[in-house]
Amino acid sequence: MKKLINSTDTILEESLDGFAAAHADILLLGAERKFVRRRTLKPGKVALISGGGSGHEPLHAGFVGLGMLDAACPGQVFTSPTPDQMIEAAEAVDTGAGVLFIVKNYEGDVMNFTMAAEMAGREVASVVTNDDVAVEKSTYTTGRRGVAGTLIVEKMVGAAAETGMPLAALTALGEEVNRRTRSMGVALLPCTVPAAGRPNFALADNEMEMGVGIHGEPGRRRVPLASADAIAAELLDAILKDLAPGKGSEVLLLVNGFGATPLIELYLMVNAAKRILNSAGVAVARFLTGSYVTSLDMAGVSITVSVLDSKSTKLWDAPAQTAALRWGV
């Protein structure tokens, strides 16, 4: 294993210290590094909090700031944060309008965020994301996994929260965006968890995992390596069958790298995906391309399609200033 680390025991703490120093203009670390929070809070705004296991950066800490999250709670690598982290984050960023948890559908995350909501002693609602169409049940889930579509929920709900939308309306919006969003991914190479020191699954040189999860969980099937066009076609076939956007629909296309996929390949996949969507009568009105919801050093890609209307397009276009997304500011 070759990693830029000092010790597997301190990798998260040292990374968080560097992250907070690099983005000190927009965020700061909570006590004992239990959460990352927005530096300047907006009084009277519903506080948005998310989190999950580390190793998926920039999700979630990279989306803390204006127009997105007020706080993010990082667990150890691929391990849910603990309820005390969410409770302390809520106490730090709740300015009186309540708290909304945005939670990926993994059993540990759902259980710990639910416990935190019950113990927080304040008004808390939750939105659970489950955009992955690959499998109905997986290693860490009951029901579908929450993957890159979580970013879209965080962006649109975050923009709405900045306008003063109340907690119940934000919860309904998050659930609506989640319903309009579907994702599926493929792995070409596995990732290596630092504490384990070896790849967390095995793929032959001529194999890929179709429908892989962001922790390396099995997908639909292990298949021979195929062309980029063929991969995009299979991913989008599954997404479009499940999402069923009407002819003439406008969508947001997110092509997301898993950590070790270069941009030249991601933009090639954008080209393939756009062509397939257009041929299906679906217009790509907005794009986001890059490694935003990763799996350490896994090579591969996920495609996310989110159906837009005038309201969601405006929310997507609204200003954001975070470590990973900055536009319109």
Side-chain angles (χ1 to χ4, degrees):
M1 180 182 73
K2 292 182 179 180
K3 297 281 187 185
L4 296 172
I5 60 174
N6 297 310
S7 165
T8 57
D9 294 331
T10 61
I11 183 171
L12 177 57
E13 290 80 1
E14 293 177 73
S15 180
L16 286 170
D17 287 347
F19 176 74
H23 302 289
D25 57 324
I26 56 174
L27 53 83
L28 50 83
L29 272 178
E32 300 177 24
R33 306 182 184 90
K34 289 184 177 180
F35 56 89
V36 175
R37 55 154 284 188
R38 182 170 166 175
R39 177 172 286 277
T40 303
L41 300 176
K42 186 173 182 178
K45 184 186 84 69
V46 172
L48 270 56
I49 299 175
S50 192
S54 297
H56 304 304
E57 290 76 18
L59 191 80
H60 293 275
F63 305 130
V64 171
L66 173 70
M68 291 193 74
L69 299 174
D70 292 279
C73 302
Q76 293 296 320
V77 172
F78 292 177
T79 303
S80 172
T82 54
D84 65 297
Q85 292 180 250
M86 285 74 91
I87 291 168
E88 292 187 30
E91 183 176 354
V93 299
D94 182 5
T95 62
V99 176
L100 179 62
F101 288 162
I102 300 176
V103 188
K104 301 188 304 301
N105 188 35
Y106 294 94
E107 289 174 348
D109 288 4
V110 172
M111 178 180 69
N112 287 345
F113 272 92
T114 299
M115 290 177 60
E118 293 170 351
M119 299 166 60
R122 63 190 70 244
E123 188 178 13
V124 179
S126 296
V127 171
V128 177
T129 61
N130 59 352
D131 52 298
D132 190 353
V133 302
V135 292
E136 292 297 330
K137 197 169 184 178
S138 185
T139 310
Y140 303 106
T141 65
T142 299
R144 292 181 172 183
R145 302 175 290 217
V147 289
T150 308
L151 156 60
I152 297 172
V153 173
E154 291 176 353
K155 173 64 181 74
M156 291 184 181
V157 175
E162 293 290 344
T163 70
M165 184 179 286
L167 181 58
L170 288 173
T171 305
L173 173 65
E175 292 169 347
E176 177 187 354
V177 175
N178 179 64
R179 283 193 299 270
R180 289 170 169 256
T181 304
R182 300 289 189 278
S183 303
M184 187 166 160
V186 61
L188 308 182
L189 292 171
C191 64
T192 299
V193 176
R198 62 183 183 278
N200 63 348
F201 63 100
L203 285 172
D205 289 344
N206 64 341
E207 288 182 326
M208 59 184 182
E209 184 73 28
M210 186 61 68
V212 72
I214 57 173
H215 309 94
E217 310 100 302
R220 290 187 168 188
R221 57 199 181 103
R222 188 158 296 184
V223 296
L225 187 64
S227 68
D229 282 349
I231 292 170
E234 181 161 349
L235 297 178
L236 282 165
D237 180 66
I239 289 169
L240 292 175
K241 282 181 177 176
D242 199 274
L243 185 59
K247 292 278 187 180
S249 294
E250 292 190 342
V251 301
L252 162 66
L253 172 64
L254 166 57
V255 174
N256 172 68
F258 281 144
T261 310
L263 276 170
I264 190 171
E265 296 177 26
L266 295 182
Y267 281 114
L268 187 153
M269 292 296 290
V270 170
N271 184 56
K274 180 178 181 293
R275 186 172 61 249
I276 292 165
L277 289 167
N278 287 347
S279 68
V282 175
V284 182
R286 297 291 186 274
F287 295 85
L288 183 64
T289 307
S291 294
Y292 292 103
V293 181
T294 63
S295 183
L296 294 168
D297 54 350
M298 188 159 73
V301 65
S302 65
I303 293 177
T304 300
V305 176
S306 185
V307 178
L308 296 171
D309 57 17
S310 58
K311 176 179 69 174
S312 57
T313 301
K314 183 177 180 180
L315 293 172
W316 182 256
D317 291 343
Q321 186 177 27
T322 75
L325 287 178
R326 296 193 182 208
W327 63 63
V329 177

